[in-house]
């Protein structure tokens, strides 16, 4: 009878540990977020930027031209991506990584 009691306790402990491990890997609830351009609550002017503690710095007044703002933002992202690729290329050269053949 002691063996049956020990066996049932062991099965109960194993079942609890399986339940605990299943709960550990359950997906957490995700908060929904908006990606609209003019939906950022931190942006008082609706441009999607956080001005920070020193307010928005725009000495040339480029933000006032709303028609070309989307294009300037896209061009800035493109230039950032090009500069990241250039940095990777510089690292490849500095590490003396070469490809077979001659150019």
């Amino acid at each position: 009878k002691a063996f049956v009691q020990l066996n049932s306790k062991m099965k109960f402990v194993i079942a609890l540990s399986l339940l605990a491990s299943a709960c550990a890997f359950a997906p957490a609830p995700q908060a929904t977020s908006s990606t609209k351009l003019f939906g950022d609550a931190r942006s008082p002017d609706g441009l999607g930027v956080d001005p920070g503690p020193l307010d928005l710095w725009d000495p040339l007044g480029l933000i006032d031209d709303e028609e070309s703002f989307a294009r300037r933002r896209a061009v800035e992202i493109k230039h950032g991506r090009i500069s990241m690729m250039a940095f990777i290329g510089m690292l490849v050269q500095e590490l003396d990584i070469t490809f077979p053949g001659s150019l």
Side-chain angles (χ1 to χ4, degrees), residues 28-89:
Q30 304 244 342
T32 59
S33 62
S34 175
T35 58
K36 295 189 315 186
L37 176 64
F38 300 108
D40 195 357
R42 298 173 299 172
S43 176
D45 51 6
L47 293 174
V49 295
D50 183 12
L54 301 176
D55 202 18
L56 190 64
W57 187 70
D58 184 27
L60 299 178
L62 296 174
I63 289 183
D64 297 333
D65 185 16
E66 294 179 8
E67 294 172 358
S68 64
F69 182 76
R71 182 185 180 280
R72 283 197 312 271
R73 178 178 277 177
V75 167
E76 180 71 21
I77 291 171
K78 179 184 81 166
H79 289 161
R81 289 175 179 164
I82 289 172
S83 66
M84 286 186 276
M85 288 190 300
F87 180 75
I88 296 296

Side-chain angles (χ1 to χ4, degrees), residues 15-25:
L16 281 180
S17 65
L18 286 175
L19 179 67
S21 64
C23 291
F25 294 104

Side-chain angles (χ1 to χ4, degrees), residues 85-99:
M85 288 190 300
F87 180 75
I88 296 296
M90 186 183 73
L91 285 179
V92 167
Q93 287 180 349
E94 288 293 321
L95 294 173
D96 290 328
I97 297 173
T98 59
F99 298 104

